[in-house]
Amino acid sequence: MDPVVIVISVFVFLTFFVFMLSLGAGKKDLNSKAMRQRLAAFQSVDAPVAAEPSAEAHLKQQREYSGLPILSAFFQGRKGADEVALHLERAGIPLRVGEYYMIRWCVAGVFLLAPFVFGFSIFNLGLGVGLSIVGYWLPAQWVSNQRKKRMNQVNGQLVDLLGLVSNSLKSGYGLMQGFEFASKQLPDPLGMEVRRMLREANLGLSAEQSLAALGARIDSKDMDMVITAINIQRAVGGNLAEILDSVAHTMRERERIRGEINTLTAQQKMTGVVIGMLPVFMFLIFMVVNPDYMSLLFETTAGRLIIVFSAVLEVLGYFSIKKIIAIEV
């Protein structure tokens, strides 16, 4: 068997193995962290009281960068590791920084070696380097898409959350009791995040810190607006139920405007998809009708360069159209 095929197969196996290992280790660490937090709540009252940490320090204190000690030590204190860990947490992906980068490196390695299956040449070497960059970027793009998808789900549930909390306040419950009631009614992901916020508050964090940690994990402008309104009310007073109703009304109007914008830009989105897929569609048709004519693109250096530059231009055109029709509300 070709040694290059063997190396690629080993890379694929390692990627799958690291991914499964990270899932199991993440679940185990979550249980052990919860046990340590419960035990810490029963410490002696004579113990010295430390300064109250901030929400960001609390998140960093609980963070582990990998289930493998070598990777954990490598990323410990490294610049950008905490941002990547928070990015994965916002995306709702049960991976830690070490496993995440292992997957990116393995995918980049597979993409680097893939062109050498067809033989070693300078063109295949350059193509492998370019594909390795794409392979290293693809997992990050997938995580970003998952983060945006999760944030949109959270934004869609915020109005329901505010309505439940506001009704609870009007019935005489406290703020945290209102959040507890809402967490039982809301589905994931917002229901899970609210339950986590309540658990952190029960384990010693103040209401402001637990809310700040909730906002940091979700990273939504709408959630930041809700947390700001709650913090202002707790500082200066006022009717919190009416404030939450006003914030909910603002969110409904913003959602209505987003819907109108999506309706107006639907034609442009479809136009971008059609124009982007038209060259690929024509390429496939010519491959079926006259494969000898199209074989020049694969057998000559100029043809290969044309394919590479065409793919790059297709990607640039896709992102350009996506950027043009992206309207912030």
Side-chain angles (χ1 to χ4, degrees):
M1 184 180 291
D2 194 344
V4 177
V5 178
I6 297 177
V7 173
I8 294 175
S9 302
V10 171
F11 266 110
V12 174
F13 173 77
L14 288 177
T15 302
F16 178 76
F17 177 75
V18 170
F19 180 73
M20 298 304 296
L21 179 65
S22 63
L23 289 181
K27 184 176 181 180
K28 179 179 178 181
D29 290 343
L30 182 62
N31 296 331
S32 62
K33 289 177 186 177
M35 181 61 69
R36 290 197 300 268
Q37 290 172 346
R38 292 190 182 97
L39 293 175
F42 294 97
Q43 288 180 345
S44 173
V45 295
D46 298 330
V49 180
E52 195 171 296
S54 62
E56 183 178 359
H58 175 72
L59 291 176
K60 291 182 179 180
Q61 185 179 5
Q62 294 185 351
R63 185 167 293 145
E64 294 184 7
Y65 298 99
S66 176
L68 303 175
I70 297 178
L71 285 179
S72 183
F74 176 77
F75 288 105
Q76 185 71 35
R78 192 167 293 274
K79 183 179 179 182
D82 291 317
E83 287 75 9
V84 174
L86 187 59
H87 186 62
L88 292 171
E89 200 168 1
R90 289 168 176 171
I93 298 175
L95 285 177
R96 286 167 296 183
V97 178
E99 286 76 13
Y100 170 65
Y101 275 107
M102 279 292 294
I103 290 175
R104 297 186 69 179
W105 293 334
C106 289
V107 173
V110 171
F111 277 53
L112 174 64
L113 298 176
F116 296 120
V117 175
F118 304 100
F120 182 82
S121 64
I122 300 299
F123 176 80
N124 289 341
L125 176 62
L127 181 61
V129 173
L131 289 177
S132 66
I133 297 174
V134 175
Y136 187 78
W137 168 81
L138 282 178
Q141 183 64 29
W142 181 76
V143 171
S144 298
N145 292 336
Q146 291 296 113
R147 174 184 173 183
K148 292 178 182 178
K149 181 180 178 180
R150 191 169 187 264
M151 187 179 67
N152 292 332
Q153 292 176 345
V154 170
N155 290 335
Q157 295 176 315
L158 272 178
V159 175
D160 296 333
L161 171 67
L162 295 180
L164 292 171
V165 174
S166 176
N167 292 333
S168 299
L169 293 174
K170 293 175 183 177
S171 301
Y173 290 98
L175 178 61
M176 288 302 174
Q177 291 175 321
F179 275 116
E180 183 177 2
F181 170 74
S183 67
K184 298 177 181 178
Q185 306 297 323
L186 292 172
D188 294 339
L190 185 56
M192 179 188 67
E193 292 294 344
V194 174
R195 288 191 293 272
R196 181 175 176 182
M197 182 267 293
L198 293 171
R199 184 169 61 250
E200 291 177 346
N202 292 333
L203 292 173
L205 282 184
S206 64
E208 289 78 8
Q209 288 178 335
S210 58
L211 286 172
L214 174 66
R217 288 194 302 269
I218 294 179
D219 190 31
S220 168
K221 294 180 180 179
D222 292 342
M223 177 59 76
D224 291 340
M225 184 168 55
V226 174
I227 295 174
T228 301
I230 293 175
N231 290 333
I232 292 176
Q233 188 277 335
R234 294 175 68 89
V236 302
N239 191 332
L240 182 57
E242 293 183 359
I243 294 175
L244 294 181
D245 287 338
S246 300
V247 174
H249 175 72
T250 302
M251 290 182 180
R252 291 191 192 94
E253 290 299 313
R254 292 180 63 184
E255 193 65 27
R256 181 183 61 81
I257 295 173
R258 288 194 188 104
E260 293 180 357
I261 292 175
N262 289 333
T263 302
L264 295 174
T265 58
Q267 182 179 356
Q268 286 73 21
K269 293 179 181 179
M270 184 56 65
T271 302
V273 172
V274 172
I275 294 177
M277 293 302 298
L278 184 61
V280 179
F281 181 70
M282 296 300 297
F283 176 81
L284 295 177
I285 290 179
F286 281 111
M287 283 292 295
V288 174
V289 174
N290 193 348
D292 295 334
Y293 177 75
M294 298 298 295
S295 63
L296 295 175
L297 293 175
F298 303 97
E299 296 175 354
T300 62
T301 303
R304 295 170 181 173
L305 291 176
I306 290 174
I307 293 177
V308 172
F309 282 116
S310 299
V312 172
L313 292 176
E314 280 285 322
V315 174
L316 292 178
Y318 167 78
F319 283 107
S320 298
I321 295 177
K322 186 176 180 180
K323 188 68 174 178
I324 291 172
I325 63 178
I327 301 175
E328 293 291 337
V329 180

